Amino acid sequence: MRRRGVSSASVIVFALAIVMMTTVAAYLSVSAFSNTFTARRNLEELYDRGKHEVRATLMPGIPPGWSPKAYLLIHEDSGEGDTLLDILVDRMGSVTSARINEVFDAGACRIIRLERLGLPRSINGYANTSIVIHFSSGAVGKAYQRSWVEPDEVYPCGRDPPERPGVYTVNIRVLLETGSGRQVCGSCSSAVNPPPGNRNYSPYEIARIEAEPAITIGNTQYVFKHWEVSFTGYRDTVTYGLNPLNLLMDDHYFVEAVYAPP
């Protein structure tokens, strides 16, 4: 029997099939390596960003004390140390930048009084505001206001500026809301503790001021409504419903206990 030979066309087709299979295998191998490399690079970037996590909190005072002044609490959690470059404050489209260039040791935290940087001093000045901080490592943090921060998040963070020698004065008085407006109550010495008048405190001391829930003046009963705390000159007034009020003494203050008919 005569054997049929393999045609040259079949050989060519077979060879092309081998080449195509080899090419596909090589492509899949390269693609898998590329995907693995890309995934690893992405994981490394995520890890780096995680290492350089920055926590920032906007606070009205330093817990457990309340203050009309705005403070920024920053934790540098990379474990490597970093340099705080700047703070950006966006107040409804109006951006203010404060250059810092301060070194943070690894794992350090710091409480910065924002008025020192030329930024609004009153916590009222940060309504509808976003705060972004930048570190030299490229780490970025965004600060959100919190009315309460656990003490272990604050201590032993450094304070900037630190305590200074001297005293701060708080002037306490009682206001009555009547049908004809507000009036200072000169006979309400027992309504608040300490009594109305000037009191001196050390810097960063906490002044505990308490109001009676209700008082009677003449034949009229009044109930405690809130505190109004303001800077010298009765500007930048901040209202507190807390009673007692633990006021952080970081400036001279006027404190008014406001009473109104029930």
Side-chain angles (χ1 to χ4, degrees), residues 12 43 67 139 142 194 200 214 227 233:
I12 293 174
L43 287 174
S67 167
K142 189 169 183 180
N200 294 329
W227 302 99

Side-chain angles (χ1 to χ4, degrees), residues 1-255:
M1 179 183 291
R2 186 177 178 181
R3 298 175 62 182
R4 299 176 60 183
V6 179
S7 67
S8 58
S10 299
V11 173
I12 293 174
V13 170
F14 180 75
L16 288 175
I18 294 297
V19 170
M20 290 180 64
M21 291 175 62
T22 304
T23 302
V24 169
Y27 171 79
L28 292 175
S29 177
V30 171
S31 178
F33 175 80
S34 177
N35 290 337
T36 301
F37 177 79
T38 301
R40 182 175 179 179
R41 183 179 62 187
N42 292 337
L43 287 174
E44 289 176 349
E45 290 178 355
L46 288 172
Y47 174 70
D48 288 339
R49 286 198 294 269
K51 284 197 310 179
H52 294 84
E53 176 188 0
V54 177
R55 288 186 290 135
T57 303
L58 179 64
M59 305 184 300
I62 303 176
W66 294 80
S67 167
K69 293 195 173 184
Y71 289 82
L72 189 64
L73 171 63
I74 301 175
H75 288 84
E76 197 290 304
D77 291 339
S78 71
E80 300 175 359
D82 215 336
T83 300
L84 176 61
L85 295 180
D86 59 28
I87 299 174
L88 298 179
V89 177
D90 184 350
R91 304 177 69 192
M92 302 181 68
S94 178
V95 180
T96 303
S97 175
R99 298 293 297 179
I100 310 297
N101 288 322
E102 293 186 5
V103 176
F104 275 59
D105 294 332
C109 59
R110 190 169 303 168
I111 302 168
I112 300 176
R113 197 163 70 191
L114 290 177
E115 70 171 328
R116 183 184 72 82
L117 307 176
L119 298 172
R121 66 176 181 172
S122 172
I123 193 66
N124 288 340
Y126 294 89
N128 301 316
T129 297
S130 61
I131 299 177
V132 179
I133 60 176
H134 298 97
F135 277 81
S136 59
S137 65
V140 178
K142 189 169 183 180
Y144 297 94
Q145 182 173 341
R146 292 164 61 188
S147 59
W148 175 255
V149 180
E150 293 296 332
D152 59 0
E153 295 184 60
V154 177
Y155 302 100
C157 299
R159 287 197 295 257
D160 184 10
E163 297 179 11
R164 64 165 183 80
V167 295
Y168 285 125
T169 300
V170 57
N171 182 283
I172 305 171
R173 65 181 189 176
V174 177
L175 294 182
L176 301 179
E177 290 187 342
T178 65
S180 58
R182 288 184 172 186
Q183 63 182 34
V184 178
C185 182
S187 59
C188 294
S189 59
S190 61
V192 290
N193 184 32
N198 291 325
R199 299 289 181 272
N200 294 329
Y201 295 89
S202 301
Y204 288 109
E205 185 178 354
I206 295 176
R208 189 178 189 274
I209 310 173
E210 188 170 6
E212 289 292 331
I215 58 176
T216 300
I217 306 298
N219 295 322
T220 305
Q221 185 183 45
Y222 296 87
V223 295
F224 175 75
K225 186 177 179 182
H226 59 248
W227 302 99
E228 292 183 2
V229 182
S230 56
F231 297 101
T232 302
Y234 295 97
R235 298 186 301 272
D236 297 320
T237 300
V238 177
T239 300
Y240 298 96
L242 304 169
N243 189 29
L245 172 66
N246 292 319
L247 181 63
L248 179 69
M249 296 304 301
D250 52 9
D251 206 330
H252 303 285
Y253 288 113
F254 290 93
V255 176

